[in-house]
Every structure is written in structure tokens, then in C-alpha cells.
């Protein structure tokens, strides 16, 4: 899917873009910036890990045994039923997503460190992603330094939204919109890296 995004940017004549991704979309955005760094000016990643160990233990267990019917009545299923051009294809989407998840590979710390685009990393305080992992990833992106002394604030930022789960991150527009706009509007490469 990262290659599809790169191709879409080329097709639209967009040389460089600010890229936002949430959950699977954030994983795709991570791969996009690693494969096509020249296409990404700034990166906003919500609810993402770079390794499976970044997810709370046990949460990924049993995903291979899930069936599409287990999601009926969930926010994801309800939204799919409302907006999909062919709602009857939910089981096909579920199968493809399950196959995709089975092929996920961990990124290395060196790959994350290689990202030069300023990155805003966002998780909920009760997210699928462990807070410790988000902090680890933030440090790999150049964060976690004392910003009041030279060289100042890092180019990347970390936000942990209070009272927020993986599912409800999308319901926190009152926090996300001003935070994301401020990050994107700041000088493109302010800070260390």
C-alpha cells in the first residue's frame, strides 16, 4: 500500500506531501517515508508501533482465528456498512486484512532513526500501543532531549492523549486538529533533526 500511495502522489503531480496515518494507515506512512523519503515533508503517525513488541502483550494473540462475524456491530463494521460501495464485501476485506497482518515484519531501530522527516507521534494513553514503546520510538526519531538548552526542541514531537483508547483516538478532534495544525505549520525542519 505504501507503493500505491507513492504512485498516487506521482499521478497527482505532488512531489512532496505532509502525510498523516492512523493505525494501519500509520504503518503504511512509515513504509512510505522509509521507501520514498523525498516524498514526505512531515509525518503524523497516530497509534503505530514499529515492532510487534510495541503492542500490549496478548492483544495480537488469536487474530488468525477471528472471523468477520466477530466484528459485526463494531465501529469498524458499522462504518464499512455505511460508506463501502459494496457492503457485502466486508468478509473479503477482513480476509485481505488478516493476510496482510500475517505478513507484518518489525522495523529495525536503525530504520526508524533514518527517518529525516519531522514526525508527530500520537497515541492514546490506553492505546493498543504501549506508552513505553511510543517513547522509545520518539527517542529514535530524535526526541526525548532537554529542549530548553541548545540545540533546542527536536523536530519530532510526541503526544499522549489522555483518556483515549486505540478506537477513540479518532474521536479526539478537539485535541488532534490544533496539535496537528501547529506541527504542520511550524517551520519545516525546526529543531535538531
Amino acid at each position: 500500500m505504501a507503493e500505491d500511495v507513492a504512485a498516487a502522489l506521482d499521478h497527482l503531480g505532488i512531489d512532496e506531501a505532509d502525510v498523516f496515518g492512523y493505525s494501519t494507515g500509520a504503518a503504511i506512512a512509515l513504509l512510505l517515508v522509509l521507501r520514498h523519503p523525498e516524498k514526505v515533508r512531515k509525518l503524523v503517525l497516530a497509534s503505530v508501533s514499529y515492532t510487534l513488541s510495541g503492542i500490549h502483550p496478548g492483544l495480537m494473540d488469536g487474530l488468525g482465528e477471528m472471523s468477520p462475524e466477530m466484528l459485526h456491530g463494531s465501529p469498524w463494521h458499522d462504518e464499512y456498512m455505511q460508506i463501502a460501495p459494496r457492503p457485502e464485501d466486508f468478509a473479503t476485506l477482513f480476509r485481505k486484512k488478516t493476510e496482510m497482518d500475517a505478513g507484518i515484519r518489525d522495523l529495525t531501530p536503525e530504520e526508524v532513526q533514518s527517518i529525516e522527516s519531522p514526525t508527530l507521534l500520537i497515541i492514546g494513553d490506553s492505546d493498543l500501543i504501549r506508552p513505553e514503546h511510543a517513547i522509545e520510538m520518539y527517542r529514535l526519531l530524535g526526541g526525548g532531549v532537554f529542549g530548553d538548552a541548545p540545540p533546542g526542541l527536536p523536530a519530532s514531537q510526541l503526544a499522549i492523549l489522555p483518556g483515549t483508547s486505540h478506537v477513540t483516538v479518532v474521536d479526539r478532534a478537539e485535541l488532534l486538529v490544533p496539535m496537528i495544525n501547529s506541527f504542520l505549520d511550524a517551520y519545516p525542519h525546526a529543531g535538531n533533526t
Side-chain angles (χ1 to χ4, degrees):
M1 284 191 247
E3 293 306 319
D4 291 342
V5 173
L9 290 172
D10 288 343
H11 178 75
L12 295 168
I14 300 171
D15 295 327
E16 185 181 53
D18 294 332
V19 178
F20 173 88
Y22 160 66
S23 193
T24 300
I28 293 165
L30 259 177
L31 291 177
L32 175 70
V33 76
L34 289 171
R35 294 177 184 174
H36 302 280
E38 74 287 353
K39 293 186 179 300
V40 180
R41 184 184 80 105
K42 287 191 175 183
L43 190 59
V44 179
L45 302 173
S47 299
V48 71
S49 68
Y50 73 94
T51 66
L52 285 175
S53 66
I55 296 170
H56 284 283
L59 292 181
M60 300 302 283
D61 298 346
L63 282 184
E65 287 81 45
M66 285 187 68
S67 69
E69 294 76 24
M70 295 169 88
L71 288 179
H72 288 194
S74 71
W76 300 288
H77 181 261
D78 292 347
E79 187 165 357
Y80 187 87
M81 291 295 125
Q82 291 173 10
I83 64 173
R86 292 191 320 262
E88 66 276 7
D89 286 348
F90 182 76
T92 301
L93 170 69
F94 184 89
R95 180 183 48 77
K96 287 181 178 182
K97 174 77 169 91
T98 301
E99 289 170 6
M100 184 180 75
D101 288 347
I104 291 175
R105 74 164 184 86
D106 288 350
L107 298 176
T108 66
E110 294 77 21
E111 286 174 302
V112 176
Q113 284 177 316
S114 75
I115 296 170
E116 294 183 13
S117 299
T119 302
L120 172 56
L121 187 61
I122 302 166
I123 67 163
D125 62 356
S126 297
D127 208 316
L128 175 75
I129 309 306
R130 295 180 305 106
E132 299 85 357
H133 180 77
I135 293 168
E136 175 187 321
M137 189 170 176
Y138 175 56
R139 289 184 188 282
L140 292 173
L141 292 165
V145 299
F146 181 58
D148 286 331
L153 292 170
S156 292
Q157 299 176 12
L158 171 65
I160 300 178
L161 306 180
T164 305
S165 71
H166 187 74
V167 173
T168 62
V169 164
V170 298
D171 297 327
R172 301 307 305 265
E174 79 284 1
L175 297 174
L176 290 169
V177 171
M179 181 186 316
I180 292 170
N181 285 341
S182 176
F183 174 73
L184 294 177
D185 290 344
Y187 182 71
H189 298 290
N192 298 335
T193 54

